[in-house]
Amino acid sequence: MSETACFLLDGNEIELPLIRGSEGETAVDISTLRSKTGAITLDIGYKNTGATTSAITFLDGEKGILRHRGYSIEELANNSCFLEVAYLLIFGELPNKQQYEQFETEVRRHTLVNEDMQNIFKAWPTKSHPMGQLTAMISSLSSFYPECLDPNQSKEDQKLTMIRLVAKMPTISAMLYKKSIGHPVVYPNNSLDYVSNFLNMTFKHITEDYEIDPIVVEAMNKLLILHADHEQNCSTSTVRMVGSSNANLYSCISAGIAALWGPLHGGANQQVIEMLERIKSDGGDATKYINKAKDKDDSFRLMGFGHRVYKNHDPRATIIKKSCDDILNKLGVNDPVFDIAKKLEETALADSYFIERKLFPNVDFYSGIIYRAIGFPIEMFTVLFALGRLPGWVAQWREMRDQNQPIGRPRQIYTGYAPRAFVPMANR
Ligand code: CMC
């Protein structure tokens, strides 16, 4: 028998169906609420609203659990590589050897970007932020593949668009870096694996050999895996929302990148290092900045701290902090901001303000320290988040299309003026 919840409004009682997730989560299906009662629900910031059912990622914020397609983030980060996780997210299962090789071959075939994209690059000021450029570059792919814009295209064409995005994102990301330092681009080398190819396009100087460090490849794989999906976060919800209007996939991903850039979302990773540098140059006093973060008259927030969903710990942050120690040691990098970050964390976790509000380091708190040790400038950090999140966005878009979901169109409660007469300008 189907389960229901009772809803009582103005003496009128109605039953609403309950939806149970495979991990025991419960939702009240309110889709008939308005037609039955005239009322809608109001949940600003979607703190308590499920926008969809999904079989991709499970997250338990109270217990600090994150799983993709049933596999724990810890197991994936320790045993898999980024391209394999991309396959898992998009297609639903871990690939066998043959499936993986075929996927990798298909991705390799599409790593080049159209030469005309160089002209778009040339038009931007060198100092423009790479995230703004990335949004535009991904959107402009729609101009290069006009025959593939229909989201109701055949499954084969849909797959081609998804592969193109996965293949071209590292190339475009590396181009952004080269642009920022005024160097010529390095073309893809398809004899390399996905992550090594990205590192080579980024750090190889066109006139010199570049030796790819396996420690860096491992670190990058891990970081990209840890960012690969995070269910219905701001950028993913944006991708789904834009996709629900039947917009093409390039536009949806471009919109997701724009949402990610915000400092409360992926843009936090750049802000964390800027904050740590500021604390360092101000004498390294962690307590002073913890007090600033607690002061409601001060707009300062502890960047890389707090999360809408995690109220115990962010499992990604735990893995990244440990990797940070390992990688800095292996690379022989001594970054004083790592010590400041650890001191900030220690001080915050012992402070009642952070304890009561359940504020912990999130994925962005330590990631930037690793990116910087590898050699990325801070403006590139959010681009790296986008590179990691791409398979998640694509998988969520695909799931939405497969479920034939309707256009996303929230309602509102109007709080403006009652009807009033127009006043000519001379009388205002
Ligand atoms: N520093 C100081 N106080 C904080 C912080 C912080 N980083 N985060 C939350 N709070 C306080 C906030 O002021 C509020 O206090 P009060 O109850 O007294 O008004 C309380 O904690 C709840 O915060 P909220 O802003 O209502 O929580 P939210 O769920 O709306 O926001 C958040 C979540 C991530 C936007 C927020 O914690 C924040 O701004 N963190 C810093 C930015 C950041 O690191 N973002 C990356 C998020 S993880 C990567 C990703 O997926 O994007």
Side-chain angles (χ1 to χ4, degrees), residues 47 230 263-266 268 293 296 301-308 311 316 353-354 357 359 362-364 385 389:
K47 294 191 176 193
H230 213 232
L264 296 186
H265 192 9
K296 294 294 173 197
R301 274 200 165 196
L302 203 54
M303 298 312 285
F305 248 76
H307 199 277
R308 169 62 61 78
K311 298 300 171 197
R316 304 167 301 173
Y353 174 97
F354 292 87
R357 288 168 182 76
L359 302 172
N362 59 49
V363 69
D364 294 321
F385 193 148
R389 184 55 53 87

PDB file of all heavy atoms in Angstrom, residues 47 230 263-266 268 293 296 301-308 311 316 353-354 357 359 362-364 385 389, ligand 1:
ATOM      1  N   LYS A  47      16.425  25.038   0.996  1.00  0.00           N
ATOM      2  CA  LYS A  47      17.096  24.334   2.091  1.00  0.00           C
ATOM      3  C   LYS A  47      16.429  23.005   2.396  1.00  0.00           C
ATOM      4  O   LYS A  47      17.024  22.126   3.018  1.00  0.00           O
ATOM      5  CB  LYS A  47      17.116  25.222   3.335  1.00  0.00           C
ATOM      6  CG  LYS A  47      17.974  26.463   3.146  1.00  0.00           C
ATOM      7  CD  LYS A  47      18.205  27.209   4.440  1.00  0.00           C
ATOM      8  CE  LYS A  47      19.140  28.381   4.177  1.00  0.00           C
ATOM      9  NZ  LYS A  47      19.688  28.995   5.369  1.00  0.00           N
ATOM     10  N   HIS A 230      28.369  16.154  -6.922  1.00  0.00           N
ATOM     11  CA  HIS A 230      27.945  16.410  -5.549  1.00  0.00           C
ATOM     12  C   HIS A 230      26.449  16.653  -5.515  1.00  0.00           C
ATOM     13  O   HIS A 230      25.976  17.628  -4.938  1.00  0.00           O
ATOM     14  CB  HIS A 230      28.724  17.603  -4.964  1.00  0.00           C
ATOM     15  CG  HIS A 230      28.955  17.450  -3.507  1.00  0.00           C
ATOM     16  ND1 HIS A 230      28.644  18.411  -2.590  1.00  0.00           N
ATOM     17  CD2 HIS A 230      29.441  16.400  -2.804  1.00  0.00           C
ATOM     18  CE1 HIS A 230      28.939  17.967  -1.381  1.00  0.00           C
ATOM     19  NE2 HIS A 230      29.431  16.746  -1.488  1.00  0.00           N
ATOM     20  N   PRO A 263      31.830  32.897  -5.178  1.00  0.00           N
ATOM     21  CA  PRO A 263      32.688  32.581  -4.026  1.00  0.00           C
ATOM     22  C   PRO A 263      32.017  31.736  -2.948  1.00  0.00           C
ATOM     23  O   PRO A 263      32.716  31.143  -2.128  1.00  0.00           O
ATOM     24  CB  PRO A 263      33.086  33.955  -3.474  1.00  0.00           C
ATOM     25  CG  PRO A 263      32.234  34.952  -4.151  1.00  0.00           C
ATOM     26  CD  PRO A 263      31.665  34.343  -5.392  1.00  0.00           C
ATOM     27  N   LEU A 264      30.675  31.660  -2.927  1.00  0.00           N
ATOM     28  CA  LEU A 264      30.044  30.767  -1.956  1.00  0.00           C
ATOM     29  C   LEU A 264      30.054  29.336  -2.457  1.00  0.00           C
ATOM     30  O   LEU A 264      29.752  28.398  -1.712  1.00  0.00           O
ATOM     31  CB  LEU A 264      28.599  31.205  -1.685  1.00  0.00           C
ATOM     32  CG  LEU A 264      28.427  32.585  -1.042  1.00  0.00           C
ATOM     33  CD1 LEU A 264      26.973  32.837  -0.694  1.00  0.00           C
ATOM     34  CD2 LEU A 264      29.306  32.733   0.198  1.00  0.00           C
ATOM     35  N   HIS A 265      30.375  29.139  -3.745  1.00  0.00           N
ATOM     36  CA  HIS A 265      30.391  27.787  -4.334  1.00  0.00           C
ATOM     37  C   HIS A 265      31.844  27.497  -4.717  1.00  0.00           C
ATOM     38  O   HIS A 265      32.742  27.613  -3.884  1.00  0.00           O
ATOM     39  CB  HIS A 265      29.410  27.802  -5.514  1.00  0.00           C
ATOM     40  CG  HIS A 265      29.046  26.488  -6.103  1.00  0.00           C
ATOM     41  ND1 HIS A 265      29.394  25.282  -5.558  1.00  0.00           N
ATOM     42  CD2 HIS A 265      28.338  26.174  -7.240  1.00  0.00           C
ATOM     43  CE1 HIS A 265      28.914  24.294  -6.312  1.00  0.00           C
ATOM     44  NE2 HIS A 265      28.272  24.813  -7.344  1.00  0.00           N
ATOM     45  N   GLY A 266      32.109  27.139  -5.966  1.00  0.00           N
ATOM     46  CA  GLY A 266      33.468  26.723  -6.351  1.00  0.00           C
ATOM     47  C   GLY A 266      34.503  27.828  -6.256  1.00  0.00           C
ATOM     48  O   GLY A 266      35.699  27.556  -6.048  1.00  0.00           O
ATOM     49  N   ALA A 268      35.134  29.566  -3.984  1.00  0.00           N
ATOM     50  CA  ALA A 268      35.729  29.617  -2.637  1.00  0.00           C
ATOM     51  C   ALA A 268      37.175  29.129  -2.648  1.00  0.00           C
ATOM     52  O   ALA A 268      37.977  29.580  -1.826  1.00  0.00           O
ATOM     53  CB  ALA A 268      34.896  28.786  -1.662  1.00  0.00           C
ATOM     54  N   ALA A 293      35.465  36.295  11.751  1.00  0.00           N
ATOM     55  CA  ALA A 293      34.429  35.455  11.126  1.00  0.00           C
ATOM     56  C   ALA A 293      33.197  35.343  12.022  1.00  0.00           C
ATOM     57  O   ALA A 293      32.073  35.202  11.537  1.00  0.00           O
ATOM     58  CB  ALA A 293      34.992  34.062  10.828  1.00  0.00           C
ATOM     59  N   LYS A 296      29.294  39.461  13.707  1.00  0.00           N
ATOM     60  CA  LYS A 296      28.197  39.663  12.754  1.00  0.00           C
ATOM     61  C   LYS A 296      28.234  41.051  12.105  1.00  0.00           C
ATOM     62  O   LYS A 296      27.539  41.291  11.112  1.00  0.00           O
ATOM     63  CB  LYS A 296      26.839  39.433  13.438  1.00  0.00           C
ATOM     64  CG  LYS A 296      26.620  37.994  13.879  1.00  0.00           C
ATOM     65  CD  LYS A 296      26.521  37.043  12.689  1.00  0.00           C
ATOM     66  CE  LYS A 296      26.466  35.592  13.111  1.00  0.00           C
ATOM     67  NZ  LYS A 296      26.755  34.643  12.039  1.00  0.00           N
ATOM     68  N   ARG A 301      34.043  36.146   6.185  1.00  0.00           N
ATOM     69  CA  ARG A 301      33.658  34.754   6.440  1.00  0.00           C
ATOM     70  C   ARG A 301      34.885  33.890   6.330  1.00  0.00           C
ATOM     71  O   ARG A 301      35.786  34.198   5.535  1.00  0.00           O
ATOM     72  CB  ARG A 301      32.646  34.258   5.413  1.00  0.00           C
ATOM     73  CG  ARG A 301      31.257  34.586   5.769  1.00  0.00           C
ATOM     74  CD  ARG A 301      30.237  33.725   5.062  1.00  0.00           C
ATOM     75  NE  ARG A 301      28.955  33.899   5.757  1.00  0.00           N
ATOM     76  CZ  ARG A 301      27.909  33.121   5.646  1.00  0.00           C
ATOM     77  NH1 ARG A 301      27.956  32.071   4.856  1.00  0.00           N
ATOM     78  NH2 ARG A 301      26.804  33.344   6.304  1.00  0.00           N
ATOM     79  N   LEU A 302      34.917  32.808   7.057  1.00  0.00           N
ATOM     80  CA  LEU A 302      36.037  31.889   6.929  1.00  0.00           C
ATOM     81  C   LEU A 302      35.810  31.077   5.653  1.00  0.00           C
ATOM     82  O   LEU A 302      34.963  30.180   5.618  1.00  0.00           O
ATOM     83  CB  LEU A 302      36.070  30.977   8.166  1.00  0.00           C
ATOM     84  CG  LEU A 302      37.391  30.344   8.520  1.00  0.00           C
ATOM     85  CD1 LEU A 302      38.498  31.375   8.649  1.00  0.00           C
ATOM     86  CD2 LEU A 302      37.256  29.566   9.824  1.00  0.00           C
ATOM     87  N   MET A 303      36.515  31.432   4.596  1.00  0.00           N
ATOM     88  CA  MET A 303      36.289  30.763   3.313  1.00  0.00           C
ATOM     89  C   MET A 303      36.802  29.316   3.403  1.00  0.00           C
ATOM     90  O   MET A 303      37.805  29.039   4.062  1.00  0.00           O
ATOM     91  CB  MET A 303      36.981  31.517   2.177  1.00  0.00           C
ATOM     92  CG  MET A 303      36.460  32.935   1.993  1.00  0.00           C
ATOM     93  SD  MET A 303      34.634  33.034   1.945  1.00  0.00           S
ATOM     94  CE  MET A 303      34.273  32.397   0.315  1.00  0.00           C
ATOM     95  N   GLY A 304      36.081  28.409   2.736  1.00  0.00           N
ATOM     96  CA  GLY A 304      36.438  26.996   2.822  1.00  0.00           C
ATOM     97  C   GLY A 304      35.895  26.338   4.071  1.00  0.00           C
ATOM     98  O   GLY A 304      36.252  25.201   4.389  1.00  0.00           O
ATOM     99  N   PHE A 305      35.014  27.052   4.768  1.00  0.00           N
ATOM    100  CA  PHE A 305      34.393  26.512   5.976  1.00  0.00           C
ATOM    101  C   PHE A 305      32.883  26.537   5.830  1.00  0.00           C
ATOM    102  O   PHE A 305      32.321  27.488   5.285  1.00  0.00           O
ATOM    103  CB  PHE A 305      34.783  27.359   7.198  1.00  0.00           C
ATOM    104  CG  PHE A 305      35.661  26.612   8.156  1.00  0.00           C
ATOM    105  CD1 PHE A 305      36.996  26.404   7.871  1.00  0.00           C
ATOM    106  CD2 PHE A 305      35.144  26.084   9.332  1.00  0.00           C
ATOM    107  CE1 PHE A 305      37.811  25.703   8.744  1.00  0.00           C
ATOM    108  CE2 PHE A 305      35.949  25.391  10.214  1.00  0.00           C
ATOM    109  CZ  PHE A 305      37.288  25.193   9.929  1.00  0.00           C
ATOM    110  N   GLY A 306      32.230  25.504   6.340  1.00  0.00           N
ATOM    111  CA  GLY A 306      30.771  25.453   6.323  1.00  0.00           C
ATOM    112  C   GLY A 306      30.257  24.785   5.063  1.00  0.00           C
ATOM    113  O   GLY A 306      30.934  24.767   4.020  1.00  0.00           O
ATOM    114  N   HIS A 307      29.097  24.213   5.178  1.00  0.00           N
ATOM    115  CA  HIS A 307      28.484  23.556   4.018  1.00  0.00           C
ATOM    116  C   HIS A 307      26.986  23.435   4.245  1.00  0.00           C
ATOM    117  O   HIS A 307      26.553  23.217   5.380  1.00  0.00           O
ATOM    118  CB  HIS A 307      29.084  22.161   3.804  1.00  0.00           C
ATOM    119  CG  HIS A 307      28.841  21.641   2.429  1.00  0.00           C
ATOM    120  ND1 HIS A 307      27.662  21.017   2.075  1.00  0.00           N
ATOM    121  CD2 HIS A 307      29.599  21.687   1.324  1.00  0.00           C
ATOM    122  CE1 HIS A 307      27.733  20.689   0.797  1.00  0.00           C
ATOM    123  NE2 HIS A 307      28.879  21.084   0.310  1.00  0.00           N
ATOM    124  N   ARG A 308      26.215  23.625   3.172  1.00  0.00           N
ATOM    125  CA  ARG A 308      24.770  23.516   3.307  1.00  0.00           C
ATOM    126  C   ARG A 308      24.349  22.116   3.767  1.00  0.00           C
ATOM    127  O   ARG A 308      23.398  21.968   4.541  1.00  0.00           O
ATOM    128  CB  ARG A 308      24.108  23.856   1.961  1.00  0.00           C
ATOM    129  CG  ARG A 308      22.622  23.547   1.856  1.00  0.00           C
ATOM    130  CD  ARG A 308      21.774  24.343   2.849  1.00  0.00           C
ATOM    131  NE  ARG A 308      21.855  25.780   2.664  1.00  0.00           N
ATOM    132  CZ  ARG A 308      21.212  26.469   1.714  1.00  0.00           C
ATOM    133  NH1 ARG A 308      20.438  25.830   0.858  1.00  0.00           N
ATOM    134  NH2 ARG A 308      21.322  27.770   1.629  1.00  0.00           N
ATOM    135  N   LYS A 311      27.037  18.375   7.978  1.00  0.00           N
ATOM    136  CA  LYS A 311      26.927  18.924   9.335  1.00  0.00           C
ATOM    137  C   LYS A 311      27.764  18.092  10.307  1.00  0.00           C
ATOM    138  O   LYS A 311      27.534  18.107  11.511  1.00  0.00           O
ATOM    139  CB  LYS A 311      25.450  18.938   9.770  1.00  0.00           C
ATOM    140  CG  LYS A 311      24.575  19.810   8.885  1.00  0.00           C
ATOM    141  CD  LYS A 311      25.004  21.288   8.868  1.00  0.00           C
ATOM    142  CE  LYS A 311      24.278  22.100   7.819  1.00  0.00           C
ATOM    143  NZ  LYS A 311      24.909  23.376   7.499  1.00  0.00           N
ATOM    144  N   ARG A 316      35.334  14.771   1.588  1.00  0.00           N
ATOM    145  CA  ARG A 316      36.311  15.178   0.570  1.00  0.00           C
ATOM    146  C   ARG A 316      37.433  15.981   1.212  1.00  0.00           C
ATOM    147  O   ARG A 316      38.610  15.825   0.879  1.00  0.00           O
ATOM    148  CB  ARG A 316      35.610  16.027  -0.507  1.00  0.00           C
ATOM    149  CG  ARG A 316      34.431  15.325  -1.160  1.00  0.00           C
ATOM    150  CD  ARG A 316      33.586  16.289  -1.967  1.00  0.00           C
ATOM    151  NE  ARG A 316      33.053  17.377  -1.152  1.00  0.00           N
ATOM    152  CZ  ARG A 316      32.402  18.433  -1.617  1.00  0.00           C
ATOM    153  NH1 ARG A 316      32.214  18.548  -2.918  1.00  0.00           N
ATOM    154  NH2 ARG A 316      31.936  19.375  -0.814  1.00  0.00           N
ATOM    155  N   TYR A 353      31.261  28.884  18.517  1.00  0.00           N
ATOM    156  CA  TYR A 353      30.535  29.427  17.360  1.00  0.00           C
ATOM    157  C   TYR A 353      30.497  28.382  16.241  1.00  0.00           C
ATOM    158  O   TYR A 353      29.446  28.109  15.654  1.00  0.00           O
ATOM    159  CB  TYR A 353      31.237  30.708  16.878  1.00  0.00           C
ATOM    160  CG  TYR A 353      30.663  31.300  15.593  1.00  0.00           C
ATOM    161  CD1 TYR A 353      29.739  32.331  15.631  1.00  0.00           C
ATOM    162  CD2 TYR A 353      31.071  30.830  14.342  1.00  0.00           C
ATOM    163  CE1 TYR A 353      29.227  32.878  14.467  1.00  0.00           C
ATOM    164  CE2 TYR A 353      30.564  31.371  13.172  1.00  0.00           C
ATOM    165  CZ  TYR A 353      29.643  32.390  13.231  1.00  0.00           C
ATOM    166  OH  TYR A 353      29.136  32.923  12.081  1.00  0.00           O
ATOM    167  N   PHE A 354      31.645  27.797  15.935  1.00  0.00           N
ATOM    168  CA  PHE A 354      31.727  26.837  14.831  1.00  0.00           C
ATOM    169  C   PHE A 354      31.113  25.489  15.223  1.00  0.00           C
ATOM    170  O   PHE A 354      30.492  24.824  14.401  1.00  0.00           O
ATOM    171  CB  PHE A 354      33.190  26.677  14.385  1.00  0.00           C
ATOM    172  CG  PHE A 354      33.729  27.921  13.739  1.00  0.00           C
ATOM    173  CD1 PHE A 354      34.295  28.936  14.499  1.00  0.00           C
ATOM    174  CD2 PHE A 354      33.610  28.115  12.377  1.00  0.00           C
ATOM    175  CE1 PHE A 354      34.758  30.110  13.910  1.00  0.00           C
ATOM    176  CE2 PHE A 354      34.063  29.289  11.773  1.00  0.00           C
ATOM    177  CZ  PHE A 354      34.643  30.285  12.549  1.00  0.00           C
ATOM    178  N   ARG A 357      27.221  25.787  15.173  1.00  0.00           N
ATOM    179  CA  ARG A 357      26.692  25.907  13.812  1.00  0.00           C
ATOM    180  C   ARG A 357      27.138  24.765  12.907  1.00  0.00           C
ATOM    181  O   ARG A 357      26.852  24.755  11.712  1.00  0.00           O
ATOM    182  CB  ARG A 357      27.115  27.242  13.198  1.00  0.00           C
ATOM    183  CG  ARG A 357      26.392  28.426  13.810  1.00  0.00           C
ATOM    184  CD  ARG A 357      27.014  29.741  13.427  1.00  0.00           C
ATOM    185  NE  ARG A 357      26.343  30.872  14.041  1.00  0.00           N
ATOM    186  CZ  ARG A 357      26.468  31.231  15.327  1.00  0.00           C
ATOM    187  NH1 ARG A 357      27.271  30.533  16.116  1.00  0.00           N
ATOM    188  NH2 ARG A 357      25.807  32.254  15.809  1.00  0.00           N
ATOM    189  N   LEU A 359      30.079  23.933  11.663  1.00  0.00           N
ATOM    190  CA  LEU A 359      30.892  24.431  10.540  1.00  0.00           C
ATOM    191  C   LEU A 359      32.238  23.716  10.533  1.00  0.00           C
ATOM    192  O   LEU A 359      32.964  23.760  11.527  1.00  0.00           O
ATOM    193  CB  LEU A 359      31.097  25.946  10.661  1.00  0.00           C
ATOM    194  CG  LEU A 359      29.819  26.797  10.709  1.00  0.00           C
ATOM    195  CD1 LEU A 359      30.140  28.258  11.036  1.00  0.00           C
ATOM    196  CD2 LEU A 359      29.073  26.713   9.385  1.00  0.00           C
ATOM    197  N   ASN A 362      35.487  22.541   4.297  1.00  0.00           N
ATOM    198  CA  ASN A 362      34.883  21.864   3.150  1.00  0.00           C
ATOM    199  C   ASN A 362      35.948  21.559   2.093  1.00  0.00           C
ATOM    200  O   ASN A 362      37.136  21.821   2.307  1.00  0.00           O
ATOM    201  CB  ASN A 362      33.708  22.684   2.591  1.00  0.00           C
ATOM    202  CG  ASN A 362      34.142  24.080   2.152  1.00  0.00           C
ATOM    203  OD1 ASN A 362      35.133  24.220   1.436  1.00  0.00           O
ATOM    204  ND2 ASN A 362      33.403  25.111   2.565  1.00  0.00           N
ATOM    205  N   VAL A 363      35.497  21.053   0.962  1.00  0.00           N
ATOM    206  CA  VAL A 363      36.409  20.573  -0.090  1.00  0.00           C
ATOM    207  C   VAL A 363      37.410  21.646  -0.529  1.00  0.00           C
ATOM    208  O   VAL A 363      38.523  21.349  -0.963  1.00  0.00           O
ATOM    209  CB  VAL A 363      35.592  20.042  -1.293  1.00  0.00           C
ATOM    210  CG1 VAL A 363      34.867  21.170  -2.022  1.00  0.00           C
ATOM    211  CG2 VAL A 363      36.417  19.236  -2.262  1.00  0.00           C
ATOM    212  N   ASP A 364      37.006  22.920  -0.389  1.00  0.00           N
ATOM    213  CA  ASP A 364      37.849  24.006  -0.902  1.00  0.00           C
ATOM    214  C   ASP A 364      38.942  24.449   0.070  1.00  0.00           C
ATOM    215  O   ASP A 364      39.786  25.262  -0.287  1.00  0.00           O
ATOM    216  CB  ASP A 364      36.967  25.231  -1.235  1.00  0.00           C
ATOM    217  CG  ASP A 364      36.019  24.947  -2.383  1.00  0.00           C
ATOM    218  OD1 ASP A 364      36.449  24.263  -3.320  1.00  0.00           O
ATOM    219  OD2 ASP A 364      34.865  25.395  -2.332  1.00  0.00           O
ATOM    220  N   PHE A 385      38.213  23.073 -10.550  1.00  0.00           N
ATOM    221  CA  PHE A 385      36.965  22.554  -9.957  1.00  0.00           C
ATOM    222  C   PHE A 385      35.996  22.213 -11.098  1.00  0.00           C
ATOM    223  O   PHE A 385      35.377  21.135 -11.120  1.00  0.00           O
ATOM    224  CB  PHE A 385      36.387  23.619  -9.018  1.00  0.00           C
ATOM    225  CG  PHE A 385      35.290  23.171  -8.084  1.00  0.00           C
ATOM    226  CD1 PHE A 385      35.162  23.749  -6.820  1.00  0.00           C
ATOM    227  CD2 PHE A 385      34.380  22.191  -8.439  1.00  0.00           C
ATOM    228  CE1 PHE A 385      34.152  23.359  -5.946  1.00  0.00           C
ATOM    229  CE2 PHE A 385      33.363  21.792  -7.565  1.00  0.00           C
ATOM    230  CZ  PHE A 385      33.244  22.390  -6.321  1.00  0.00           C
ATOM    231  N   ARG A 389      34.214  18.779 -12.042  1.00  0.00           N
ATOM    232  CA  ARG A 389      32.759  18.642 -11.914  1.00  0.00           C
ATOM    233  C   ARG A 389      32.051  18.307 -13.230  1.00  0.00           C
ATOM    234  O   ARG A 389      30.906  17.856 -13.231  1.00  0.00           O
ATOM    235  CB  ARG A 389      32.191  19.956 -11.312  1.00  0.00           C
ATOM    236  CG  ARG A 389      30.706  20.011 -11.008  1.00  0.00           C
ATOM    237  CD  ARG A 389      30.216  18.887 -10.099  1.00  0.00           C
ATOM    238  NE  ARG A 389      30.926  18.724  -8.860  1.00  0.00           N
ATOM    239  CZ  ARG A 389      30.658  19.375  -7.715  1.00  0.00           C
ATOM    240  NH1 ARG A 389      29.678  20.217  -7.675  1.00  0.00           N
ATOM    241  NH2 ARG A 389      31.367  19.126  -6.607  1.00  0.00           N
TER     242      ARG A 389
HETATM  243  N1  CMC B   1      32.326  31.657   8.350  1.00  0.00           N
HETATM  244  C1  CMC B   1      31.627  32.208   9.388  1.00  0.00           C
HETATM  245  N2  CMC B   1      30.340  31.917   9.643  1.00  0.00           N
HETATM  246  C2  CMC B   1      29.729  31.055   8.835  1.00  0.00           C
HETATM  247  C3  CMC B   1      30.378  30.452   7.746  1.00  0.00           C
HETATM  248  C4  CMC B   1      31.737  30.777   7.516  1.00  0.00           C
HETATM  249  N3  CMC B   1      32.399  30.235   6.504  1.00  0.00           N
HETATM  250  N4  CMC B   1      29.532  29.624   7.110  1.00  0.00           N
HETATM  251  C5  CMC B   1      28.373  29.725   7.762  1.00  0.00           C
HETATM  252  N5  CMC B   1      28.481  30.575   8.810  1.00  0.00           N
HETATM  253  C6  CMC B   1      27.437  30.910   9.802  1.00  0.00           C
HETATM  254  C7  CMC B   1      26.429  31.880   9.213  1.00  0.00           C
HETATM  255  O1  CMC B   1      26.798  33.219   9.459  1.00  0.00           O
HETATM  256  C8  CMC B   1      25.187  31.490   9.958  1.00  0.00           C
HETATM  257  O2  CMC B   1      25.272  32.021  11.263  1.00  0.00           O
HETATM  258  P1  CMC B   1      23.925  32.501  12.043  1.00  0.00           P
HETATM  259  O3  CMC B   1      23.133  31.243  12.250  1.00  0.00           O
HETATM  260  O4  CMC B   1      24.421  33.112  13.300  1.00  0.00           O
HETATM  261  O5  CMC B   1      23.232  33.475  11.139  1.00  0.00           O
HETATM  262  C9  CMC B   1      25.300  29.969  10.104  1.00  0.00           C
HETATM  263  O6  CMC B   1      26.720  29.705  10.084  1.00  0.00           O
HETATM  264  C10 CMC B   1      24.637  29.186   8.951  1.00  0.00           C
HETATM  265  O7  CMC B   1      25.208  29.653   7.738  1.00  0.00           O
HETATM  266  P2  CMC B   1      24.386  29.878   6.405  1.00  0.00           P
HETATM  267  O8  CMC B   1      25.105  30.893   5.578  1.00  0.00           O
HETATM  268  O9  CMC B   1      22.951  30.146   6.719  1.00  0.00           O
HETATM  269  O10 CMC B   1      24.496  28.437   5.755  1.00  0.00           O
HETATM  270  P3  CMC B   1      24.232  28.062   4.256  1.00  0.00           P
HETATM  271  O11 CMC B   1      23.917  26.614   4.248  1.00  0.00           O
HETATM  272  O12 CMC B   1      23.226  28.992   3.654  1.00  0.00           O
HETATM  273  O13 CMC B   1      25.631  28.370   3.520  1.00  0.00           O
HETATM  274  C11 CMC B   1      27.852  28.108   2.755  1.00  0.00           C
HETATM  275  C12 CMC B   1      26.588  27.396   3.271  1.00  0.00           C
HETATM  276  C13 CMC B   1      28.815  27.083   2.205  1.00  0.00           C
HETATM  277  C14 CMC B   1      27.449  29.053   1.603  1.00  0.00           C
HETATM  278  C15 CMC B   1      28.487  28.907   3.915  1.00  0.00           C
HETATM  279  O14 CMC B   1      28.892  28.016   4.935  1.00  0.00           O
HETATM  280  C16 CMC B   1      29.669  29.769   3.460  1.00  0.00           C
HETATM  281  O15 CMC B   1      29.470  30.907   3.016  1.00  0.00           O
HETATM  282  N6  CMC B   1      30.936  29.215   3.513  1.00  0.00           N
HETATM  283  C17 CMC B   1      32.090  29.935   3.002  1.00  0.00           C
HETATM  284  C18 CMC B   1      32.159  29.773   1.484  1.00  0.00           C
HETATM  285  C19 CMC B   1      32.624  28.386   1.083  1.00  0.00           C
HETATM  286  O16 CMC B   1      33.575  27.844   1.631  1.00  0.00           O
HETATM  287  N7  CMC B   1      31.948  27.805   0.071  1.00  0.00           N
HETATM  288  C20 CMC B   1      32.306  26.493  -0.465  1.00  0.00           C
HETATM  289  C21 CMC B   1      31.237  25.465  -0.197  1.00  0.00           C
HETATM  290  S1  CMC B   1      31.801  23.767  -0.480  1.00  0.00           S
HETATM  291  C22 CMC B   1      32.186  23.679  -2.149  1.00  0.00           C
HETATM  292  C23 CMC B   1      30.986  23.662  -3.023  1.00  0.00           C
HETATM  293  O17 CMC B   1      30.332  22.635  -3.153  1.00  0.00           O
HETATM  294  O18 CMC B   1      30.697  24.707  -3.602  1.00  0.00           O
END
